[in-house]
């Protein structure tokens, strides 16, 4: 079962089927958050992880101010507060009672060392690397290895999220308080020392833009007119980015459009009568019963398939198909047919799975690099793999083993839509050995006939 750290489409659809206003989740996109690298020159000091009052108690004890009342008077604090700090340092082994008198304390050897360390802390000038989120206009804790260059996000087809226009990064954005929060977010809590910023001397903004991959959720009401966006970072929706996107114009500013779904392909009347609503969330896909059990217990399974189940079934087909795999899709996009996709596909071929991929719609060209890589697989596995351009197909079909899915979902182009138009596509899953074999053989013959014509 997916965990909270799983950001796959089907798990995000499970976690966020609607937003706070009740709008339905329509689409999930791969996006890129604009990040600026900063080099901040600041006056900092290393401080022990000890509460400030406890620090003053140790320093006063070293200065021979040893009673609760005297410490309270020097600090201008109530005696109960000072007594609580003293109790904490007694427990830490830094203080002990003097001459068995509970009203007076003295440093232990360990306390002497701690007090000397605290007194020796001096501010120093440091240059601190950090990152600034240009959309939410705030410091952004992340590892540099998480960030991509512009050409990388273009190659991956990520939607570039906007930066606040005309926004210059100033000391108001990178204040000591903000920088201390940032350092606290990225520091190791187990470390004895941490940096504390006293003031900012200089901010240098690096010229090269970087980007952090995130997931963008698109929500819409039933009229498809009220559209809201949410950014998922570290596996959670970020309210600050949600507000920033709304301020900058939301979906319309990003060119994101929601359209009515295409009519789903209908089955023959007998199967339509058996068709049931989706029976489980996408996250239970792996737990579906085997075909043998379904055939023995209930006969064919025929059910609706929601839009976010489709990618999960495609991935299952690429990783688990044992005998056969067939995909028909009008368009090909490199955002779907990635190196990972091709690696999984070749994994099926190495296991002697028979694979057929067919595509083609009017004169719409497929990306040449994608075509070349798929043709390369046909040359390496000529007895197992066919890759065919057919004249003009509206069909969107996936068959793997004894599962047949007919749908309005574009299997090989659902990411990287240049028009950024999204729909709540719906399909039908049929799980039955005999029925699926009949469809598979019919489609393979149809692809063969197209290739010969």
């Amino acid at each position: 079962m997916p965990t909270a750290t799983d950001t796959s489409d089907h798990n995000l659809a499970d976690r966020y089927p609607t937003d706070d206003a009740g709008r339905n989740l329509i689409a999930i996109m791969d996006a890129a958050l604009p990040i600026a690298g900063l080099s901040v020159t600041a006056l900092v000091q290393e401080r022990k992880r000890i509460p400030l009052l406890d620090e003053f108690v140790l320093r006063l004890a070293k200065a021979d101010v040893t009673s609760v009342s005297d410490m309270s008077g020097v600090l201008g604090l109530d005696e109960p507060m000072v007594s609580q700090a003293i109790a904490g340092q007694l427990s830490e082994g830094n203080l002990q009672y003097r001459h068995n008198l509970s009203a007076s304390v003295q440093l232990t050897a360990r306390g002497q060392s701690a007090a000397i360390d605290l007194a020796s802390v001096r501010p120093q000038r440091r240059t601190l690397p950090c990152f600034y989120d240009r959309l939410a206009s705030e410091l952004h804790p992340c590892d540099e290895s998480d960030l991509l260059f512009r050409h990388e996000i273009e190659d991956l087809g990520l939607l570039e999220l906007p930066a606040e226009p005309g926004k210059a990064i100033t000391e108001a954005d990178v204040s000591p308080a903000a920088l201390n929060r940032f350092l606290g977010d990225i520091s190791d809590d187990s470390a004895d020392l941490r940096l504390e910023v006293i003031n900012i001397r200089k901010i240098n903004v690096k010229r090269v833009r970087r980007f952090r991959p995130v997931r963008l959720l698109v929500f819409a009401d039933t009229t498809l007119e009220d559209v809201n966006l949410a950014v998922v970072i570290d596996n959670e929706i970020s309210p600050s980015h949600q507000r920033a996107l709304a301020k900058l114009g939301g979906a319309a500013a990003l060119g994101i459009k929601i359209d009515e779904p295409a009519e789903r392909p209908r089955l023959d009347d007998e199967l339509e009568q058996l068709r049931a609503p989706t029976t489980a969330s996408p996250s239970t896909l792996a737990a579906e019963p085997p075909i043998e059990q379904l055939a023995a217990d209930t006969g064919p399974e025929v059910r609706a398939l929601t839009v976010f189940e489709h990618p999960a079934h495609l991935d299952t087909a690429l990783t688990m198909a044992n005998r056969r795999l067939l995909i028909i899709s009008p368009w090909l996009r490199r955002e779907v047919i990635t190196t990972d996709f091709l690696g999984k596909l070749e994994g099926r071929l190495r296991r002697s799975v028979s694979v057929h991929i067919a595509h083609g719609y009017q004169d719409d060209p497929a990306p040449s690099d994608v075509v070349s890589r798929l043709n390369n697989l046909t040359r390496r596995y000529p007895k197992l793999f066919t890759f065919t351009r057919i004249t003009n197909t509206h069909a969107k079909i996936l068959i793997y083993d004894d599962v047949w899915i007919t749908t309005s979902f574009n299997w090989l182009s659902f990411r990287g839509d240049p028009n950024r138009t999204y729909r709540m596509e719906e399909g039908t899953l049929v799980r039955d050995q005999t029925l699926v074999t009949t469809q598979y053989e019919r489609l393979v013959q149809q692809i063969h006939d197209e290739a010969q014509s």
Side-chain angles (χ1 to χ4, degrees):
M1 172 176 280
T3 66
T5 59
D6 181 358
T7 58
S8 60
D9 286 5
H10 61 279
N11 186 50
L12 288 175
D14 277 352
R15 296 180 64 197
Y16 305 112
T18 59
D19 67 3
D20 292 339
R23 306 177 190 88
N24 295 316
L25 180 64
I26 299 293
I28 301 173
M29 305 170 62
D30 292 316
L33 189 65
I35 302 291
L38 304 183
S39 179
V40 180
T41 303
L43 196 63
V44 305
Q45 62 183 16
E46 289 187 339
R47 299 294 298 273
K48 288 283 185 181
R49 291 188 180 275
I50 178 172
L52 187 60
L53 180 53
D54 292 43
E55 176 184 337
F56 280 119
V57 163
L58 293 181
R59 288 191 176 192
L60 288 172
K62 182 171 175 54
D64 209 28
V65 179
T66 61
S67 70
V68 173
S69 59
D70 288 345
M71 289 184 178
S72 176
V74 171
L75 296 172
L77 299 173
D78 294 337
E79 288 192 14
M81 292 179 63
V82 176
S83 295
Q84 186 175 1
I86 289 173
Q89 292 306 304
L90 287 165
S91 176
E92 291 290 329
N94 290 328
L95 293 177
Q96 63 186 9
Y97 289 114
R98 179 189 294 248
H99 307 306
N100 296 321
L101 297 176
S102 60
S104 182
V105 294
Q106 65 183 12
L107 292 171
T108 63
R110 176 176 175 175
Q112 286 279 357
S113 177
I116 292 171
D117 287 345
L118 291 169
S120 68
V121 171
R122 293 289 185 271
Q124 54 186 292
R125 193 182 182 96
R126 285 275 191 95
T127 299
L128 305 172
C130 54
F131 300 100
Y132 187 82
D133 182 334
R134 301 190 74 102
L135 171 58
S137 297
E138 60 190 13
L139 289 171
H140 186 81
C142 66
D143 193 295
E144 189 166 9
S145 62
D146 296 334
L147 304 180
L148 303 175
F149 292 100
R150 182 179 296 279
H151 72 273
E152 292 176 303
I153 71 165
E154 291 173 350
D155 289 344
L156 292 170
L158 306 187
L159 172 63
E160 182 180 338
L161 298 180
E164 185 174 348
K167 171 68 175 176
I169 303 172
T170 68
E171 291 185 14
D173 303 300
V174 191
S175 64
L179 198 51
N180 281 324
R181 287 194 298 271
F182 170 81
L183 294 172
D185 286 340
I186 65 173
S187 65
D188 181 359
D189 289 336
S190 66
D192 289 334
L193 298 172
R194 66 181 175 88
L195 291 179
E196 183 174 0
V197 178
I198 300 172
N199 64 37
I200 307 295
R201 297 297 178 87
K202 183 180 179 182
I203 300 173
N204 180 47
V205 182
K206 297 180 181 179
R207 296 183 62 183
V208 177
R209 292 283 184 90
R210 303 291 293 276
F211 299 86
R212 181 175 182 181
V214 295
R215 308 304 304 282
L216 183 69
L217 308 185
V218 183
F219 298 91
D221 67 356
T222 54
T223 69
L224 303 182
E225 295 178 357
D226 183 13
V227 181
N228 183 43
L229 304 179
V231 176
V232 176
I233 301 175
D234 291 333
N235 313 307
E236 298 292 339
I237 286 179
S238 167
S240 62
H241 292 87
Q242 199 164 15
R243 292 189 295 268
L245 283 174
K247 179 181 176 182
L248 295 177
L254 294 177
I256 295 172
K257 300 179 286 293
I258 307 300
D259 203 354
E260 293 286 347
E263 184 178 356
R264 73 166 178 87
R266 292 186 61 82
L267 306 172
D268 62 41
D269 291 343
E270 183 179 351
L271 290 178
E272 283 290 335
Q273 291 177 2
L274 293 174
R275 189 176 188 269
T278 183
T279 56
S281 69
S283 63
T284 61
L285 174 63
E288 291 183 356
I291 184 65
E292 295 82 3
Q293 180 180 330
L294 284 164
D297 295 348
T298 60
E301 176 191 11
V302 184
R303 71 170 179 88
L305 204 67
T306 66
V307 65
F308 299 110
E309 290 179 274
H310 287 77
H313 274 282
L314 178 60
D315 189 65
T316 298
L318 290 168
T319 56
M320 299 180 64
N322 290 317
R323 305 190 319 276
R324 57 193 177 193
L325 169 58
L326 180 146
I327 305 171
I328 300 178
S329 183
W331 300 282
L332 308 179
R333 294 282 183 267
R334 63 174 60 91
E335 290 80 9
V336 177
I337 306 175
T338 61
T339 298
D340 180 63
F341 177 103
L342 293 166
K344 291 176 179 177
L345 186 64
E346 185 165 9
R348 293 303 91 201
L349 293 168
R350 287 177 176 172
R351 291 179 174 268
S352 299
V353 175
S354 178
V355 179
H356 301 276
I357 293 179
H359 73 101
Y361 183 74
Q362 297 180 352
D363 295 326
D364 186 60
S368 59
D369 56 329
V370 170
V371 172
S372 175
R373 296 175 79 179
L374 288 168
N375 279 331
N376 183 49
L377 284 179
T378 65
R379 289 189 290 270
R380 294 168 61 189
Y381 301 93
K383 295 182 179 180
L384 291 172
F385 182 41
T386 67
F387 172 56
T388 309
R389 177 171 178 101
I390 52 186
T391 307
N392 191 10
T393 182
H394 290 277
K396 293 117 179 178
I397 294 169
L398 172 68
I399 292 177
Y400 63 98
D401 294 340
D402 296 313
V403 173
W404 161 38
I405 299 172
T406 179
T407 180
S408 59
F409 182 84
N410 289 298
W411 290 108
L412 301 180
S413 62
F414 65 93
R415 297 196 192 283
D417 181 353
N419 298 318
R420 296 182 194 163
T421 301
Y422 298 91
R423 303 171 179 84
M424 282 297 285
E425 311 286 5
E426 185 180 357
T428 303
L429 177 147
V430 177
R431 191 187 298 264
D432 179 88
Q433 188 174 42
T434 302
L435 290 172
V436 174
T437 296
T438 299
Q439 288 297 322
Y440 175 81
E441 292 176 350
R442 179 183 68 82
L443 291 167
V444 169
Q445 185 61 50
Q446 180 180 320
I447 293 170
H448 176 76
D449 292 344
E450 283 265 8
Q452 299 301 313
S453 61

